[in-house]
Amino acid sequence: MADKAVVIGISGPSSSGKTTLARLLQRIFNGAKTPDSHLNTFIIHEDDFYFPDDKIPYTTTASGETIQDWDTAAAIDLPFLSQALQYVRKNGTLPPRLRSKEDQNDKSDSGIPESTIQELRDLVQSRISGQRSIAFLEGFLLFAPPQPDHVLREVHDAIQLHVFLPAAYGLVKERREGRSGYVTVGSAPGPVDKGVEVEGEKEETTEIDLEAEDDRPPQNFWVDPPGYVDDVVWPRYVRDHSWLLIADEGQDTGDAETGADADLVRRVGDGTRVRTDVGVQVAPGAGSAGMDTVLRWAVDLVLGFYLESPQ
């Protein structure tokens, strides 16, 4: 049986425009109709899968300060995210559990005029067919390198189209440091299955009741401490995407170890040189193109993928 939803993953460094692009695409594709078609679209925010505040890991910066690290895979409930994506593909709807906390954070003006949005909406409506939903998943850490045992493998494989927005270090730093902060997700939902037997021992699971409403209030409000971009955000991004970014000196970055972060950051430079031969669709302009250009490219990409994928 064909999936009832197509999952489009939109990733890139912090402040690269992922959420803005996802919201624009959702507006353009949602509700497009023909006599035999009606698109339903929605957004999934990776930030809604953070562990609660007291379970976010700590890291020690180069200056010796110990702070929470919100920019590592260990801060995200990846089994929960993978489970949610499988639910979306099977049912074609967003599970009730995923009432977004991310949508309470600051929203910036996309700068895209309504006339452009209507033009692209008309384009989509003139070409769509079928009855499936489209889910736009946006997040800073969604894609995995080729090895089968990578921590992000199940999430990566649940995404059918992988879209990457590069952004230069200077832009990431300026935008991130200009934000007021972030609403956090609250207490974690309890597992419905306390464990399974594995070789005679009980192994804990994190299966979530996705049908239950999530009425948890925001738990807190995170504000980046001084130096957080240079100490955590950018080095983590470069390390976790070392397989995708192109380093100087003609060297493939491979899988970097934590101890090599400083050298890797130096070799990657501003981070705008990205591989295009690993199954990831890279936005035009290497991070310098305006949102209008990126949006038009993304609409063509998503529409083509939707029309070509099995119905």
Side-chain angles (χ1 to χ4, degrees):
M1 180 182 295
D3 291 328
K4 292 184 178 180
V6 172
V7 177
I8 311 296
I10 303 172
S11 196
S14 175
S15 306
S16 59
K18 303 180 295 296
T19 306
T20 298
L21 179 61
R23 287 173 174 153
L24 287 168
L25 289 172
Q26 197 272 340
R27 289 184 61 194
I28 290 166
F29 279 83
N30 192 53
K33 297 178 181 179
T34 68
D36 61 351
S37 305
H38 183 192
L39 277 182
N40 176 48
T41 68
F42 46 88
I43 300 175
I44 305 171
H45 303 284
E46 186 180 30
D47 284 4
D48 287 331
F49 295 85
Y50 271 115
F51 286 116
D53 293 24
D54 58 357
K55 295 188 181 298
I56 300 300
Y58 283 79
T59 189
T60 302
T61 68
S63 63
E65 184 180 6
T66 299
I67 57 176
Q68 282 189 303
D69 182 355
W70 294 80
D71 287 74
T72 174
I76 302 291
D77 190 340
L78 295 176
F80 179 17
L81 175 55
S82 177
Q83 181 189 346
L85 295 179
Q86 295 301 331
Y87 179 102
V88 166
R89 289 181 57 167
K90 178 181 178 181
N91 297 282
T93 62
L94 194 64
R97 171 63 70 177
L98 295 184
R99 180 179 297 170
S100 178
K101 302 297 185 292
E102 164 60 26
D103 287 332
Q104 300 178 46
N105 287 319
D106 291 344
K107 299 178 179 65
S108 58
D109 182 4
S110 69
I112 304 299
E114 286 298 318
S115 58
T116 299
I117 293 172
Q118 187 60 52
E119 172 198 342
L120 294 172
R121 184 181 291 133
D122 291 343
L123 170 66
V124 169
Q125 184 150 312
S126 71
R127 296 184 58 192
I128 64 157
S129 62
Q131 301 288 341
R132 288 178 302 166
S133 299
I134 300 179
F136 296 104
L137 167 66
E138 64 87 15
F140 73 103
L141 195 56
L142 298 176
F143 306 154
Q147 62 259 41
D149 59 346
H150 192 272
V151 66
L152 288 168
R153 173 52 50 198
E154 289 189 2
V155 171
H156 181 106
D157 289 347
I159 298 168
Q160 291 139 294
L161 178 63
H162 303 78
V163 179
F164 192 79
L165 307 185
Y169 159 77
L171 183 62
V172 170
K173 183 177 175 67
E174 177 185 359
R175 288 180 175 174
R176 176 81 182 226
E177 292 182 347
R179 291 183 174 178
S180 59
Y182 303 85
V183 173
T184 58
V185 298
S187 58
V192 297
D193 180 0
K194 293 298 184 180
V196 295
E197 294 292 332
V198 180
E199 296 182 356
E201 296 183 1
K202 202 167 192 181
E203 181 181 87
E204 294 299 316
T205 68
T206 58
E207 182 144 3
I208 304 300
D209 182 3
L210 294 175
E211 299 288 355
E213 293 285 348
D214 184 2
D215 57 359
R216 297 169 293 157
Q219 180 179 355
N220 211 334
F221 191 77
W222 165 264
V223 178
D224 289 344
Y228 188 72
V229 172
D230 291 315
D231 288 338
V232 177
V233 174
W234 189 252
R236 283 278 190 263
Y237 162 69
V238 170
R239 185 191 68 183
D240 290 334
H241 296 85
S242 60
W243 60 279
L244 189 57
L245 301 175
I246 299 173
D248 292 334
E249 305 169 8
Q251 299 182 42
D252 185 353
T253 57
D255 267 339
E257 298 297 331
T258 303
D261 277 0
D263 179 62
L264 183 59
V265 167
R266 177 186 62 80
R267 292 194 291 122
V268 164
D270 70 357
T272 58
R273 299 173 64 220
V274 184
R275 294 178 61 176
T276 58
D277 60 347
V278 287
V280 175
Q281 305 299 318
V282 180
S288 63
M291 182 52 72
D292 180 273
T293 298
V294 173
L295 178 61
R296 291 178 181 276
W297 167 83
V299 167
D300 285 342
L301 183 69
V302 172
L303 182 57
F305 181 83
Y306 179 86
L307 294 175
E308 294 170 6
S309 56
Q311 297 286 328

